[in-house]
Amino acid sequence: MEKIIVFCITTLVALTSFSCQSKKEGKSMVEKKLFGKLSGGQEVNEYTLKNANGMEAKIIDYGATVVSLTAPDKNGKYEDVVLGYDSLDGYVKDKAYFGSIVGRYGNRISKGKFKLDGKEYQLSINNGENHLHGGTDGFNKKVWTVVNTDVVEALGSASITLKYNSKDGEEGYPGTIELTVRYTLTKDNELSINYTATTDKETILNPTHHSYFNLSGDMHKTILDHEVMIDADKFTPVDKELITTGAFSEVANTPMDFRIPKKVGKEVDADFEQLKFAGGYDHNRVLNKAPNQLSKLASVYEPVSGRLMEVSTNQPGVQFYCGNFLDGTVKGKNGVMYTKRTGLCLEAQLYPDSPNKPEWPSPILVPGKVYSQTTIYKLSAKLL
Ligand code: GLA
């Protein structure tokens, strides 16, 4: 008899929790609305991807930019965890690359010069004497074409595919590139970014995604209490102009070591030359993984909210940047002035200045080959 009662109670509890769970589940969807108009009158639209859990990613076709991304805290409360602006004007004037796809080449190319097949190319110079993130009018300043949006109800996911054709000669790069980026919000609260590209002429390509995360959801706070783990034994040191020197340095016994989770603020201001050059963390990490293998490379945990972000990629490197150049002069969403280290970026990519470092994984793309990158940001919360 006792066994029967225990069985009935267990079944009832199981059924109740199942029905609660299924009640919480919604439908995945994509909604489109006007975000703003450029000075020439061109419309920029915002697409809201919603998964079955109610998590949302808002993406605009200007720069293929993520303007908002919600994530659950330890109590299940979804809040926006990325920096950005309230209006299109902010993105047009932006110099921090908030949320955008940058390219053709993420990070710096020394003096904007590189050689292909013996011929020297001169790219636009937009960062001191160097080329940064695709130049003056990179992919982040273009209106992309929305190829399609897709909802897979059975999987609880929603996606958007955007395309940008970069013409031969744009910002000094050879070859016309057709780049497609698909953002998918999965039922597992992952924002998955898939890039594919082809060219009609030998060229270089190394796009990345530039969201600034602050998992507290409160952009008045810095990210110094975020605990970061990066699975990399080595990083690529830089010179005073933040150009990679070509060396690999061990992170062991230095403030650069994030192999075991560590608060960003613990050693960010340490008396260490590489941190002085960059004003904090702003270095590419040489990931401990086989090339082209999609695997987890980093995690970020914010202890008050309990939010956790895990990042996976098939790229060999990741630029860990902790918002050193934010200086309180930029008015972000909800009128918040973003101060130094309000957000952190984990930009999956090739090692910076690789066109000038032939021994490193190559950015060269030739006709007939397809460039392919997958990077995934998974948001969850540690239940205490
Ligand atoms: C990257 C670079 C930084 C800085 C930011 C944009 O992440 O590594 O040095 O240029 O972009 O402000």
Side-chain angles (χ1 to χ4, degrees):
M1 182 63 178
E2 213 177 89
K3 270 190 188 160
I4 293 175
I5 292 172
V6 170
F7 173 77
C8 288
I9 292 174
T10 320
T11 314
L12 198 66
V13 169
L15 281 175
T16 318
S17 78
F18 174 76
S19 73
C20 287
Q21 230 182 356
S22 54
K23 249 187 228 159
K24 260 199 268 168
E25 293 205 348
K27 280 190 172 180
S28 50
M29 60 177 83
V30 181
E31 281 163 356
K32 175 183 171 186
K33 74 167 203 205
L34 183 68
F35 188 71
K37 282 188 186 171
L38 293 169
S39 53
Q42 190 174 5
E43 288 189 353
V44 167
N45 288 299
E46 177 188 81
Y47 296 79
T48 302
L49 312 185
K50 204 182 256 188
N51 72 4
N53 309 321
M55 178 176 172
E56 284 182 2
K58 291 182 190 288
I59 289 143
I60 56 170
D61 47 21
Y62 185 81
T65 303
V66 174
V67 298
S68 162
L69 182 69
T70 65
D73 71 1
K74 60 189 177 202
N75 300 312
K77 186 177 172 202
Y78 280 79
E79 277 177 310
D80 188 8
V81 294
V82 292
L83 306 193
Y85 305 98
D86 281 326
S87 68
L88 179 58
D89 191 46
Y91 290 96
V92 172
K93 294 185 178 141
D94 167 81
K95 291 199 166 67
Y97 305 87
F98 286 153
S100 61
I101 296 293
V102 302
R104 293 186 192 189
Y105 196 92
N107 214 278
R108 293 173 178 80
I109 296 179
S110 178
K111 311 277 188 268
K113 286 189 199 310
F114 69 99
K115 276 189 186 154
L116 260 188
D117 232 0
K119 183 171 175 212
E120 185 166 87
Y121 291 90
Q122 177 64 60
L123 303 174
S124 61
I125 300 298
N126 63 328
N127 189 250
E129 294 185 351
N130 304 306
H131 178 86
L132 173 70
H133 291 333
T136 321
D137 267 324
F139 294 171
N140 59 314
K141 299 290 182 200
K142 307 291 182 189
V143 179
W144 293 50
T145 304
V146 175
V147 180
N148 71 341
T149 60
D150 199 17
V151 170
V152 185
E153 264 185 43
L155 298 177
S157 69
S159 68
I160 180 170
T161 305
L162 304 108
K163 195 170 93 175
Y164 178 63
N165 282 5
S166 172
K167 294 272 174 289
D168 189 10
E170 193 175 277
E171 299 291 328
Y173 290 97
T176 294
I177 281 191
E178 291 193 12
L179 172 65
T180 299
V181 168
R182 189 174 79 243
Y183 286 103
T184 305
L185 194 57
T186 73
K187 197 179 177 181
D188 295 327
N189 286 3
E190 296 163 325
L191 181 67
S192 172
I193 313 176
N194 287 86
Y195 308 64
T196 50
T198 54
T199 182
D200 64 351
K201 203 160 122 185
E202 188 173 22
T203 188
I204 57 168
L205 183 66
N206 178 35
T208 189
H209 178 69
H210 213 296
S211 273
Y212 287 64
F213 297 92
N214 184 326
L215 300 185
S216 73
D218 178 356
M219 307 313 177
H220 295 95
K221 292 184 180 167
T222 69
I223 47 74
L224 295 173
D225 279 341
H226 286 42
E227 293 165 18
V228 169
M229 186 286 295
I230 306 173
D231 188 10
D233 294 339
K234 297 186 174 79
F235 73 101
T236 50
V238 290
D239 64 15
K240 281 188 187 139
E241 290 183 39
L242 305 187
I243 299 293
T244 48
T245 62
F248 284 170
S249 293
E250 298 283 338
V251 297
N253 305 313
T254 78
M256 306 300 277
D257 195 349
F258 279 93
R259 291 172 298 174
I260 294 171
K262 182 173 78 182
K263 283 193 190 302
V264 177
K266 187 166 178 217
E267 294 172 302
V268 69
D269 291 319
D271 188 11
F272 185 72
E273 189 178 58
Q274 284 296 311
L275 292 174
K276 299 277 174 222
F277 283 170
Y281 295 111
D282 190 0
H283 300 84
N284 167 69
R285 308 295 169 135
V286 178
L287 299 172
N288 294 336
K289 66 184 195 58
N292 299 319
Q293 179 196 315
L294 177 63
S295 52
K296 183 173 141 186
L297 69 101
S299 66
V300 183
Y301 175 63
E302 198 283 305
V304 177
S305 65
R307 290 196 179 94
L308 173 71
M309 179 169 78
E310 293 159 289
V311 188
S312 306
T313 191
N314 64 355
Q315 294 299 287
V318 70
Q319 182 81 9
F320 169 44
Y321 169 59
C322 69
N324 309 306
F325 294 123
L326 300 174
D327 60 2
T329 57
V330 167
K331 191 190 268 186
K333 283 183 268 188
N334 306 311
V336 179
M337 303 304 286
Y338 293 144
T339 53
K340 189 169 174 173
R341 300 178 184 151
T342 314
L344 63 83
C345 305
L346 286 160
E347 306 154 53
Q349 56 181 68
L350 300 172
Y351 312 151
D353 199 31
S354 60
N356 295 308
K357 310 280 172 356
E359 60 288 2
W360 286 359
S362 172
I364 297 175
L365 182 66
V366 294
K369 287 271 183 241
V370 178
Y371 170 89
S372 167
Q373 180 190 152
T374 300
T375 298
I376 301 169
Y377 298 89
K378 178 174 182 175
L379 281 310
S380 62
K382 278 193 197 170
L383 301 173
L384 301 175

